[in-house]
Amino acid sequence: MYINQNQSSMKKKIAKIVFIGLTYLFSIQINAQEEIKLIGFTSNGQTIDNLVKWNAGETTYLETNPVDYIGVLVGSSVYNSKIGEYYSRVLISENEDYISKMLKYQTLNNSFLLTDVTSVYNGSAEVDMQTGLLYSYDGDLDNNIYLNRYDPVTQTSTNLGYYNFTEEVFFFPDSSCYDSDAGIYYFIVQGNEGKKLVKSTITNDSFTYTLIPLLGEDIIGNIGLEYSNEENTIHLIYPEFNSETSTSTMNVGKLNPETGEITNLLNIAEISALQLFNRTYDQNTETLVFIGVNLDNEQRLYLYNTITNQISNESLPQNLLLEIEADNYEYAQARYALGITEVLSTSLSILPNPAKDSFTVQFDGRDSEYELFDLVGKSVQKGTVQSGQEINVDQLNKGVYVLNIKSESFNENKKVVIQ
């Protein structure tokens, strides 16, 4: 099954990755949970066919949005709690070629937008809840690793500087987290000297970093990191190998970012497989959320409360789910007193809506560019427009579209129905 693919280059060389991605083991206690809102993709076994929203523990979706993507890059999905947008690097088929795109899904008005990407993306995106900026460790065509910053409003990427790693050092997909209070991006690398935590402190348009060796556990394979802004704590989930019994268990614990010491909080012995990229953290309930397969070969949603140290499991909808993220929008708005005027202001109006052959737009701004997208993110019409001007759509098929209006000071999406 094609789950993820990508590493697009300037030469459009995209490697198709067949990812099976299951890791190890788990056990449970059922525990009542507050509502945890989740977002993710479903796969039909060949392609990515839906983007869905649901509540943890429920077996039916709140919303199902059909899409048609060849794949999605492991570890590239992230939820922007400042403006209520879900992002992911997806692979689409265009002109008999595979093209990498950035998906922007606005959860507040259910609109989609696919934008071009310029970096050779390697993974593990994190969002700063205060600024809405995305950070990731990326690689250029010569495999030099740098810290990338992406602004979803201006749709621009900035290279903040390179990491001076030795050649044998590599990093893990989806093994990062972000401290939104202090502006620190963390991720894990491994080399000849073992695994290390990379602590990247960001200041304006630059950063400094330190390498901290990990201590305390005999860890094999990947490590999944999640950050609690309330606890100021790095939580992690990782497989541990017992050389005496030659068995592995999946553990959850916490990591001291100053010393690199790992404290094991819970050994989990009744999971046959774990998808590390299907992991997220709900800030409202302080819950580490991930999908695992139990010993009966059932896919279950596991909820580990980091305050009570209790774990439970819940049923999932009957689909293969990928790249799940928690909707922490309400949490971020309350903690950081945020607004969403950059992307979802109320200034853009479309009349009439639904429309037939044309509609008129009203917005706060001067001459702007407009672009219409269908619900799978394909651009179907574009041009320039002024506020109060009519846009003719008589050549388009009936259906639901997303109108994007953009200028230097304005960038907004809104649904329009053409009848």
Side-chain angles (χ1 to χ4, degrees), residues 1-169:
M1 175 186 65
Y2 300 115
I3 295 183
N4 312 309
Q5 359 248 71
N6 195 354
Q7 280 187 333
S8 62
S9 72
M10 294 301 191
K11 299 177 181 177
K12 296 184 180 178
K13 292 184 178 178
I14 299 177
K16 210 172 186 183
I17 303 169
V18 179
F19 189 89
I20 299 177
L22 296 180
T23 334
Y24 297 96
L25 330 168
F26 201 88
S27 154
I28 55 210
Q29 304 163 279
I30 296 200
N31 203 25
Q33 297 286 330
E34 296 178 45
E35 182 179 274
I36 297 175
K37 301 176 182 179
L38 298 171
I39 307 168
F41 291 106
T42 66
S43 173
N44 57 20
Q46 298 296 323
T47 61
I48 306 301
D49 56 0
N50 290 291
L51 184 56
V52 294
K53 293 196 290 187
W54 81 105
N55 291 330
E58 296 184 0
T59 56
T60 57
Y61 297 121
L62 297 173
E63 292 181 11
T64 301
N65 301 283
V67 297
D68 184 17
Y69 305 140
I70 303 299
V72 53
L73 179 64
V74 169
S76 69
S77 300
V78 64
Y79 184 76
N80 189 338
S81 302
K82 180 182 181 184
I83 55 179
E85 285 190 338
Y86 174 87
Y87 308 111
S88 188
R89 290 289 292 271
V90 298
L91 193 66
I92 67 170
S93 179
E94 188 174 285
N95 298 325
E96 299 182 353
D97 197 4
Y98 294 130
I99 306 296
S100 175
K101 296 282 188 178
M102 172 72 83
L103 166 69
K104 298 173 64 175
Y105 170 55
Q106 174 51 254
T107 61
L108 302 180
N109 66 1
N110 220 34
S111 63
F112 288 77
L113 188 66
L114 286 183
T115 62
D116 293 334
V117 292
T118 56
S119 62
V120 184
Y121 200 99
N122 285 298
S124 223
E126 300 293 341
V127 67
D128 185 332
M129 287 187 177
Q130 291 200 67
T131 65
L133 298 172
L134 275 66
Y135 295 90
S136 62
Y137 48 78
D138 284 14
D140 61 21
L141 293 176
D142 296 321
N143 202 32
N144 298 309
I145 307 304
Y146 63 93
L147 181 61
N148 184 68
R149 182 177 66 199
Y150 176 76
D151 186 332
V153 176
T154 62
Q155 301 174 21
T156 56
S157 293
T158 303
N159 180 340
L160 298 183
Y162 287 90
Y163 293 96
N164 188 26
F165 298 147
T166 54
E167 285 188 4
E168 83 280 357
V169 171

Side-chain angles (χ1 to χ4, degrees), residues 118-301:
T118 56
S119 62
V120 184
Y121 200 99
N122 285 298
S124 223
E126 300 293 341
V127 67
D128 185 332
M129 287 187 177
Q130 291 200 67
T131 65
L133 298 172
L134 275 66
Y135 295 90
S136 62
Y137 48 78
D138 284 14
D140 61 21
L141 293 176
D142 296 321
N143 202 32
N144 298 309
I145 307 304
Y146 63 93
L147 181 61
N148 184 68
R149 182 177 66 199
Y150 176 76
D151 186 332
V153 176
T154 62
Q155 301 174 21
T156 56
S157 293
T158 303
N159 180 340
L160 298 183
Y162 287 90
Y163 293 96
N164 188 26
F165 298 147
T166 54
E167 285 188 4
E168 83 280 357
V169 171
F170 64 92
F171 51 81
F172 297 96
D174 205 17
S175 186
S176 64
C177 64
Y178 193 87
D179 178 351
S180 292
D181 289 338
I184 301 174
Y185 175 73
Y186 296 99
F187 63 96
I188 303 292
V189 296
Q190 180 163 354
N192 295 336
E193 298 177 350
K195 290 182 173 66
K196 295 183 179 181
L197 177 70
V198 183
K199 180 182 179 181
S200 308
T201 303
I202 301 164
T203 306
N204 297 324
D205 292 334
S206 63
F207 73 101
T208 58
Y209 72 95
T210 55
L211 293 170
I212 302 117
L214 298 188
L215 307 172
E217 294 290 307
D218 184 13
I219 299 173
I220 58 174
N222 198 1
I223 302 174
L225 302 184
E226 297 291 344
Y227 195 86
S228 166
N229 288 293
E230 290 294 328
E231 299 177 74
N232 290 319
T233 301
I234 298 177
H235 297 285
L236 68 164
I237 183 166
Y238 58 95
E240 181 185 20
F241 181 71
N242 187 324
S243 57
E244 295 181 0
T245 61
S246 296
T247 59
S248 298
T249 57
M250 186 61 67
N251 298 341
V252 290
K254 60 182 179 180
L255 170 62
N256 185 324
E258 303 303 322
T259 65
E261 183 177 0
I262 294 173
T263 302
N264 181 25
L265 299 177
L266 184 67
N267 296 91
I268 308 164
E270 296 178 8
I271 283 187
S272 63
L274 176 68
Q275 301 165 327
L276 281 172
F277 56 89
N278 265 339
R279 183 194 73 252
T280 187
Y281 194 83
D282 183 67
Q283 300 284 346
N284 288 298
T285 62
E286 299 290 345
T287 301
L288 179 64
V289 181
F290 52 97
I291 294 177
V293 179
N294 66 17
L295 297 181
D296 294 325
N297 203 34
E298 297 173 330
Q299 184 175 252
R300 305 285 291 181
L301 184 71

Side-chain angles (χ1 to χ4, degrees), residues 376-397:
V376 298
K378 182 180 178 182
S379 176
V380 295
Q381 184 173 314
K382 59 184 176 181
T384 58
V385 66
Q386 297 177 343
S387 181
Q389 185 176 341
E390 188 177 76
I391 296 177
N392 193 309
V393 290
D394 60 356
Q395 300 299 314
L396 297 182
N397 294 326

